[in-house]
Amino acid sequence: MPRFVLLLAALAVAAAASPTSAQTFELLSDNTQTPEFAFDISGDGRVVIGRGRGGGAGAAETWRWEGGTLTYLDRFMEQDVSPGGLSGDGSIIVGSAGLFNPFAVIWNDGTYASLPLPEGALSVSVSGVSNDGRVAAGSYRIDPDGD
């Protein structure tokens, strides 16, 4: 049986003048049944977000790792959430919820909220967020007929 593990690679740079560096790896999940995928890491390397099936719900779930603890996040409005980006301090996650007509969501310190659709948009896919968590980036789909 294949074993899937998720590793966090942290690159530690030695003193300012030293050209040498050291690598360390830390196991984020010991899920042996299904793969877990890391999507983003906070600016200080303390928080990682991803998606996988290790939470036990059967469907892929978004997770957040911090301080040695991997936590699977709840669904939003009965929809699966795909993480798209993480703020610099790791407190804000942006992503998309829903399968056929996804909409933008934000997770801020434990609470989800939906973001407004751009005018004329049918669906939104969010793929990143600014360091301070105030600006999200992504793409959206419009109805070419304007209906």
Coordinates of all heavy atoms in Angstrom, one line a residue, residues 20-98:
T20 N 26.4 29.6 3.5 CA 25.9 28.2 3.7 C 24.5 28.3 4.2 O 24.0 29.3 4.8 CB 26.7 27.4 4.7 OG1 26.7 28.1 5.9 CG2 28.2 27.3 4.2
S21 N 23.7 27.2 4.0 CA 22.4 27.1 4.5 C 22.1 25.7 4.9 O 22.8 24.8 4.5 CB 21.4 27.6 3.4 OG 21.4 26.7 2.3
A22 N 21.1 25.5 5.7 CA 20.7 24.2 6.2 C 19.2 23.9 5.9 O 18.4 24.9 5.9 CB 20.9 24.1 7.7
Q23 N 18.9 22.7 5.6 CA 17.5 22.4 5.3 C 17.0 21.4 6.4 O 17.7 20.6 6.9 CB 17.3 21.7 4.0 CG 17.4 22.5 2.8 CD 17.0 21.8 1.5 OE1 17.2 20.6 1.5 NE2 16.6 22.5 0.5
T24 N 15.7 21.6 6.8 CA 15.1 20.7 7.7 C 13.7 20.4 7.2 O 13.1 21.2 6.4 CB 14.9 21.3 9.1 OG1 14.1 22.5 9.0 CG2 16.3 21.7 9.8
F25 N 13.2 19.2 7.5 CA 11.9 18.8 7.0 C 11.1 18.4 8.2 O 11.6 17.7 9.1 CB 12.0 17.6 6.0 CG 12.7 17.9 4.7 CD1 14.0 17.8 4.6 CD2 11.9 18.4 3.7 CE1 14.7 18.2 3.4 CE2 12.5 18.8 2.5 CZ 13.9 18.7 2.3
E26 N 9.9 18.7 8.2 CA 9.0 18.3 9.3 C 7.7 17.7 8.7 O 7.1 18.1 7.8 CB 8.6 19.6 10.1 CG 7.7 19.2 11.3 CD 7.5 20.4 12.2 OE1 8.3 21.3 12.2 OE2 6.5 20.4 12.9
L27 N 7.4 16.5 9.3 CA 6.2 15.8 8.9 C 4.9 16.6 9.3 O 4.8 16.8 10.5 CB 6.2 14.4 9.5 CG 5.0 13.5 9.1 CD1 5.1 13.1 7.6 CD2 5.1 12.2 10.0
L28 N 4.1 17.0 8.4 CA 2.8 17.7 8.7 C 1.7 16.7 8.9 O 0.8 17.0 9.7 CB 2.5 18.7 7.6 CG 3.5 19.8 7.3 CD1 2.9 20.8 6.4 CD2 3.9 20.5 8.6
S29 N 1.7 15.6 8.2 CA 0.6 14.7 8.3 C 1.1 13.3 8.2 O 2.0 13.0 7.3 CB -0.5 14.9 7.3 OG -1.4 13.9 7.2
D30 N 0.7 12.3 9.0 CA 1.1 10.9 8.8 C 0.0 10.1 8.2 O -0.1 8.9 8.3 CB 1.6 10.3 10.1 CG 0.5 10.3 11.2 OD1 -0.6 10.8 10.9 OD2 0.8 9.8 12.3
N31 N -0.9 10.8 7.4 CA -2.0 10.1 6.7 C -1.4 9.1 5.8 O -0.6 9.4 4.9 CB -2.8 11.1 5.9 CG -3.9 10.5 5.1 OD1 -4.2 9.4 5.2 ND2 -4.4 11.3 4.2
T32 N -1.7 7.8 5.9 CA -1.2 6.7 5.1 C -2.1 6.3 4.0 O -1.8 5.4 3.2 CB -0.8 5.5 6.0 OG1 -2.0 5.0 6.6 CG2 0.3 5.9 7.0
Q33 N -3.3 6.8 4.0 CA -4.3 6.3 3.0 C -4.5 7.2 1.7 O -4.6 6.6 0.7 CB -5.7 6.2 3.7 CG -5.7 5.4 4.9 CD -5.3 4.0 4.7 OE1 -5.8 3.3 3.7 NE2 -4.4 3.4 5.4
T34 N -4.4 8.4 1.9 CA -4.7 9.3 0.7 C -3.7 10.5 0.7 O -3.2 10.9 1.8 CB -6.1 9.9 0.7 OG1 -6.3 10.6 1.9 CG2 -7.1 8.8 0.6
P35 N -3.4 11.1 -0.4 CA -2.5 12.2 -0.4 C -3.0 13.5 0.2 O -4.2 13.7 0.2 CB -2.2 12.4 -1.9 CG -3.3 11.8 -2.6 CD -3.9 10.7 -1.7
E36 N -2.1 14.2 0.8 CA -2.4 15.6 1.3 C -1.6 16.5 0.5 O -0.4 16.2 0.2 CB -2.1 15.7 2.8 CG -2.7 14.7 3.7 CD -4.2 15.0 4.0 OE1 -4.5 16.2 3.9 OE2 -4.9 14.1 4.3
F37 N -2.1 17.7 0.1 CA -1.4 18.6 -0.7 C -1.3 19.9 0.0 O -2.3 20.5 0.4 CB -2.1 18.8 -2.1 CG -2.2 17.5 -2.9 CD1 -3.3 16.8 -2.8 CD2 -1.1 17.1 -3.6 CE1 -3.4 15.6 -3.6 CE2 -1.2 15.9 -4.4 CZ -2.4 15.1 -4.3
A38 N -0.1 20.5 0.1 CA 0.2 21.8 0.6 C 0.0 22.8 -0.5 O 0.5 22.6 -1.6 CB 1.5 21.9 1.2
F39 N -0.7 23.9 -0.3 CA -1.0 24.9 -1.3 C -0.2 26.2 -1.1 O 0.2 26.9 -2.0 CB -2.5 25.3 -1.4 CG -3.3 24.2 -2.1 CD1 -2.8 23.0 -2.4 CD2 -4.6 24.4 -2.3 CE1 -3.6 22.0 -3.0 CE2 -5.4 23.5 -2.9 CZ -4.9 22.3 -3.3
D40 N 0.0 26.6 0.2 CA 0.6 27.9 0.5 C 1.2 27.9 1.9 O 0.8 27.1 2.7 CB -0.4 29.0 0.3 CG 0.2 30.4 0.0 OD1 1.5 30.5 0.0 OD2 -0.5 31.3 -0.2
I41 N 2.1 28.8 2.1 CA 2.8 28.9 3.4 C 2.9 30.4 3.8 O 3.0 31.2 2.9 CB 4.2 28.3 3.3 CG1 4.9 28.2 4.7 CG2 5.1 28.9 2.3 CD1 6.1 27.4 4.8
S42 N 2.7 30.7 5.0 CA 2.7 32.1 5.5 C 4.1 32.6 5.3 O 5.1 31.9 5.2 CB 2.3 32.2 7.0 OG 3.2 31.5 7.8
G43 N 4.2 34.0 5.3 CA 5.5 34.6 5.1 C 6.6 34.2 6.1 O 7.8 34.2 5.8
D44 N 6.2 33.9 7.4 CA 7.1 33.6 8.4 C 7.3 32.0 8.5 O 8.1 31.6 9.3 CB 6.7 34.2 9.7 CG 5.4 33.7 10.2 OD1 4.8 32.8 9.6 OD2 4.9 34.2 11.2
G45 N 6.6 31.3 7.7 CA 6.8 29.8 7.6 C 6.1 29.1 8.8 O 6.2 27.9 8.9
R46 N 5.3 29.8 9.6 CA 4.6 29.2 10.7 C 3.3 28.5 10.4 O 2.8 27.7 11.2 CB 4.4 30.2 11.8 CG 5.8 30.7 12.4 CD 5.6 31.8 13.4 NE 4.3 31.9 14.0 CZ 4.1 32.0 15.3 NH1 5.1 32.1 16.1 NH2 2.8 32.1 15.7
V47 N 2.7 28.9 9.3 CA 1.3 28.3 8.9 C 1.4 27.8 7.5 O 2.0 28.5 6.6 CB 0.2 29.4 9.0 CG1 -1.1 28.9 8.7 CG2 0.2 30.0 10.5
V48 N 0.8 26.7 7.3 CA 0.7 26.0 6.0 C -0.8 25.7 5.7 O -1.5 25.3 6.7 CB 1.5 24.8 5.9 CG1 1.4 24.1 4.5 CG2 3.0 25.1 6.2
I49 N -1.3 25.9 4.5 CA -2.6 25.5 4.2 C -2.6 24.4 3.1 O -1.6 24.4 2.3 CB -3.6 26.6 3.8 CG1 -3.0 27.4 2.6 CG2 -3.8 27.5 4.9 CD1 -4.0 28.4 1.9
G50 N -3.6 23.6 3.0 CA -3.6 22.6 1.9 C -5.0 21.9 1.9 O -6.0 22.4 2.4
R51 N -5.0 20.8 1.2 CA -6.2 20.1 1.0 C -5.9 18.6 0.9 O -4.9 18.2 0.4 CB -6.9 20.6 -0.3 CG -8.2 20.1 -0.6 CD -8.8 21.0 -1.7 NE -10.0 20.4 -2.3 CZ -11.2 20.5 -1.9 NH1 -11.4 21.1 -0.8 NH2 -12.2 19.9 -2.5
G52 N -6.8 17.8 1.5 CA -6.6 16.4 1.4 C -7.8 15.6 2.0 O -8.8 16.3 2.4
R53 N -7.8 14.3 2.0 CA -8.9 13.5 2.5 C -8.7 12.9 3.9 O -9.4 12.0 4.3 CB -9.2 12.4 1.5 CG -9.6 12.9 0.1 CD -9.9 11.7 -0.8 NE -10.1 12.2 -2.1 CZ -11.3 12.5 -2.6 NH1 -12.4 12.4 -1.9 NH2 -11.5 13.0 -3.8
G54 N -7.7 13.4 4.6 CA -7.4 12.8 5.9 C -8.3 13.1 7.0 O -8.2 12.6 8.1
G55 N -9.2 14.1 6.8 CA -10.1 14.5 7.9 C -11.2 13.5 8.2 O -11.9 13.6 9.2
G56 N -11.4 12.5 7.3 CA -12.4 11.5 7.6 C -13.8 11.7 7.0 O -14.7 10.9 7.1
A57 N -14.0 12.8 6.3 CA -15.3 13.1 5.8 C -15.5 12.4 4.4 O -16.6 12.5 3.9 CB -15.5 14.6 5.6
G58 N -14.5 11.9 3.9 CA -14.6 11.2 2.6 C -14.2 12.1 1.4 O -13.5 11.7 0.5
A59 N -14.8 13.3 1.4 CA -14.4 14.3 0.4 C -13.1 15.0 0.8 O -12.8 15.1 2.0 CB -15.6 15.3 0.2
A60 N -12.5 15.6 -0.2 CA -11.3 16.4 0.1 C -11.7 17.6 1.0 O -12.8 18.2 0.8 CB -10.6 16.9 -1.1
E61 N -10.9 17.9 2.0 CA -11.1 19.0 2.9 C -9.9 19.9 3.0 O -8.8 19.5 2.8 CB -11.3 18.5 4.3 CG -12.5 17.5 4.4 CD -12.6 16.9 5.8 OE1 -13.1 17.6 6.7 OE2 -12.1 15.8 6.0
T62 N -10.2 21.2 3.2 CA -9.1 22.2 3.4 C -8.6 22.0 4.8 O -9.3 21.8 5.8 CB -9.7 23.6 3.2 OG1 -10.1 23.8 1.9 CG2 -8.6 24.7 3.6
W63 N -7.3 22.1 5.0 CA -6.7 22.1 6.3 C -5.7 23.2 6.5 O -5.3 23.9 5.6 CB -6.0 20.7 6.5 CG -5.0 20.3 5.5 CD1 -5.2 19.3 4.6 CD2 -3.6 20.7 5.3 NE1 -4.1 19.2 3.8 CE2 -3.1 20.0 4.3 CE3 -2.8 21.6 6.0 CZ2 -1.8 20.2 3.8 CZ3 -1.5 21.8 5.6 CH2 -1.0 21.1 4.5
R64 N -5.4 23.4 7.8 CA -4.5 24.5 8.2 C -3.5 23.9 9.2 O -4.0 23.2 10.2 CB -5.2 25.7 8.8 CG -4.4 26.8 9.2 CD -5.3 28.0 9.7 NE -4.6 29.2 10.0 CZ -4.0 29.4 11.2 NH1 -4.2 28.6 12.2 NH2 -3.4 30.6 11.4
W65 N -2.2 24.1 9.0 CA -1.2 23.5 9.9 C -0.6 24.7 10.6 O -0.1 25.6 10.0 CB -0.2 22.7 9.2 CG 0.9 22.1 10.0 CD1 0.9 20.9 10.7 CD2 2.1 22.8 10.3 NE1 2.1 20.8 11.4 CE2 2.9 21.9 11.1 CE3 2.7 24.0 9.9 CZ2 4.1 22.2 11.6 CZ3 4.0 24.3 10.4 CH2 4.7 23.4 11.2
E66 N -0.5 24.6 11.9 CA 0.3 25.7 12.7 C 0.8 25.0 14.0 O 0.0 24.3 14.7 CB -0.6 26.8 13.0 CG 0.1 27.9 13.8 CD -0.8 29.2 14.0 OE1 -2.0 29.0 14.0 OE2 -0.2 30.2 14.3
G67 N 2.0 25.3 14.3 CA 2.6 24.9 15.6 C 2.5 23.4 15.8 O 2.3 22.9 16.9
G68 N 2.7 22.6 14.8 CA 2.7 21.2 14.9 C 1.3 20.5 14.9 O 1.2 19.3 15.0
T69 N 0.2 21.3 14.7 CA -1.1 20.8 14.7 C -1.8 21.0 13.3 O -1.8 22.1 12.8 CB -2.0 21.5 15.8 OG1 -1.4 21.3 17.0 CG2 -3.4 20.9 15.8
L70 N -2.3 19.9 12.7 CA -3.0 20.0 11.5 C -4.5 19.9 11.8 O -5.0 19.0 12.4 CB -2.6 18.8 10.5 CG -3.2 18.9 9.1 CD1 -2.0 18.9 8.1 CD2 -4.1 17.7 8.9
T71 N -5.2 21.0 11.4 CA -6.6 21.1 11.6 C -7.4 21.1 10.3 O -7.1 22.0 9.5 CB -6.9 22.4 12.4 OG1 -6.1 22.4 13.6 CG2 -8.4 22.5 12.8
Y72 N -8.4 20.2 10.2 CA -9.3 20.3 9.0 C -10.4 21.3 9.3 O -11.0 21.3 10.3 CB -9.9 18.9 8.8 CG -8.8 17.9 8.2 CD1 -8.0 17.2 9.1 CD2 -8.6 17.9 6.9 CE1 -7.1 16.3 8.6 CE2 -7.6 17.0 6.4 CZ -6.9 16.3 7.2 OH -5.9 15.5 6.7
L73 N -10.6 22.2 8.3 CA -11.5 23.3 8.4 C -12.9 22.8 8.0 O -13.0 21.9 7.1 CB -11.1 24.5 7.6 CG -9.7 25.0 7.9 CD1 -9.4 26.2 7.0 CD2 -9.5 25.3 9.4
D74 N -13.9 23.4 8.6 CA -15.3 23.0 8.2 C -15.6 23.4 6.8 O -14.9 24.3 6.2 CB -16.3 23.7 9.1 CG -16.2 23.2 10.5 OD1 -15.9 22.0 10.7 OD2 -16.5 24.0 11.5
R75 N -16.7 22.8 6.2 CA -17.2 23.2 4.9 C -17.9 24.6 5.1 O -18.2 24.9 6.2 CB -18.1 22.2 4.4 CG -17.5 20.8 4.1 CD -18.5 19.8 3.8 NE -18.8 20.0 2.4 CZ -19.9 19.5 1.8 NH1 -20.8 18.9 2.5 NH2 -20.1 19.7 0.5
F76 N -18.1 25.3 4.0 CA -18.8 26.6 4.1 C -20.1 26.5 3.3 O -20.1 26.1 2.1 CB -17.9 27.7 3.5 CG -18.5 29.0 3.5 CD1 -18.9 29.6 4.7 CD2 -18.8 29.7 2.3 CE1 -19.5 30.9 4.7 CE2 -19.4 30.9 2.3 CZ -19.8 31.5 3.5
M77 N -21.2 26.7 3.9 CA -22.5 26.7 3.3 C -22.7 25.3 2.6 O -23.2 25.3 1.4 CB -22.7 27.8 2.3 CG -22.7 29.2 3.0 SD -22.8 30.6 1.9 CE -24.2 30.3 1.0
E78 N -22.3 24.2 3.2 CA -22.5 22.9 2.7 C -21.6 22.7 1.4 O -21.9 21.7 0.7 CB -23.9 22.5 2.4 CG -24.8 22.6 3.6 CD -24.4 21.6 4.7 OE1 -24.1 20.5 4.4 OE2 -24.4 22.0 5.9
Q79 N -20.6 23.5 1.2 CA -19.8 23.4 0.0 C -18.3 23.1 0.4 O -17.9 23.6 1.5 CB -19.8 24.7 -0.8 CG -21.2 25.1 -1.3 CD -21.7 24.2 -2.3 OE1 -20.9 23.7 -3.2 NE2 -23.0 23.8 -2.3
D80 N -17.6 22.3 -0.4 CA -16.2 22.1 -0.2 C -15.5 23.4 -0.5 O -15.9 24.1 -1.4 CB -15.7 21.0 -1.0 CG -16.3 19.6 -0.6 OD1 -16.5 19.4 0.6 OD2 -16.4 18.7 -1.5
V81 N -14.4 23.6 0.2 CA -13.6 24.8 0.0 C -12.2 24.4 -0.5 O -11.6 23.5 0.0 CB -13.4 25.7 1.3 CG1 -12.5 26.8 1.0 CG2 -14.8 26.1 1.8
S82 N -11.8 25.0 -1.6 CA -10.4 24.8 -2.2 C -9.6 26.1 -1.8 O -9.9 27.2 -2.2 CB -10.4 24.7 -3.7 OG -11.1 23.5 -4.0
P83 N -8.6 25.9 -1.0 CA -7.8 27.0 -0.6 C -7.0 27.6 -1.8 O -6.5 26.9 -2.7 CB -6.8 26.5 0.5 CG -6.7 25.0 0.1 CD -8.0 24.6 -0.5
G84 N -6.9 28.9 -1.8 CA -6.2 29.6 -2.9 C -5.0 30.4 -2.5 O -4.0 30.5 -3.2
G85 N -5.0 30.9 -1.2 CA -3.9 31.7 -0.8 C -4.0 32.0 0.7 O -5.0 31.8 1.3
L86 N -2.8 32.4 1.3 CA -2.7 32.6 2.7 C -2.0 33.9 2.9 O -1.0 34.2 2.3 CB -1.8 31.4 3.3 CG -1.6 31.4 4.8 CD1 -2.9 31.2 5.5 CD2 -0.6 30.2 5.1
S87 N -2.5 34.7 3.9 CA -1.9 36.0 4.2 C -0.5 35.8 4.8 O -0.2 34.7 5.3 CB -2.8 36.8 5.1 OG -2.9 36.1 6.4
G88 N 0.2 36.8 4.9 CA 1.6 36.7 5.4 C 1.7 36.2 6.8 O 2.6 35.5 7.2
D89 N 0.7 36.5 7.7 CA 0.8 36.1 9.1 C 0.0 34.8 9.3 O -0.1 34.2 10.4 CB 0.3 37.1 10.1 CG -1.1 37.5 9.9 OD1 -1.9 36.9 9.1 OD2 -1.6 38.3 10.7
G90 N -0.6 34.3 8.2 CA -1.4 33.0 8.3 C -2.8 33.1 8.9 O -3.4 32.1 9.0
S91 N -3.2 34.3 9.2 CA -4.6 34.4 9.8 C -5.7 34.4 8.8 O -6.8 34.2 9.2 CB -4.6 35.6 10.7 OG -4.5 36.8 9.9
I92 N -5.4 34.7 7.5 CA -6.4 34.8 6.5 C -6.2 33.8 5.4 O -5.1 33.7 4.8 CB -6.5 36.2 5.9 CG1 -6.9 37.2 7.0 CG2 -7.5 36.3 4.8 CD1 -6.9 38.6 6.6
I93 N -7.2 33.0 5.0 CA -7.2 32.1 3.9 C -8.2 32.6 2.9 O -9.4 32.9 3.3 CB -7.5 30.6 4.3 CG1 -6.5 30.2 5.4 CG2 -7.5 29.7 3.1 CD1 -6.9 28.8 6.0
V94 N -7.9 32.6 1.6 CA -8.9 32.9 0.6 C -8.9 31.6 -0.3 O -8.0 30.8 -0.4 CB -8.6 34.1 -0.3 CG1 -8.6 35.4 0.6 CG2 -7.2 34.0 -1.0
G95 N -10.1 31.4 -0.9 CA -10.3 30.3 -1.8 C -11.6 30.3 -2.5 O -12.2 31.4 -2.5
S96 N -12.0 29.2 -3.0 CA -13.3 29.1 -3.7 C -14.1 27.9 -3.1 O -13.5 26.9 -2.7 CB -13.0 28.9 -5.2 OG -12.2 29.9 -5.7
A97 N -15.4 28.1 -3.0 CA -16.3 27.1 -2.5 C -17.3 26.7 -3.6 O -17.7 27.6 -4.4 CB -17.0 27.6 -1.3
G98 N -17.7 25.5 -3.6 CA -18.6 25.1 -4.6 C -17.9 24.4 -5.8 O -16.8 24.6 -6.1

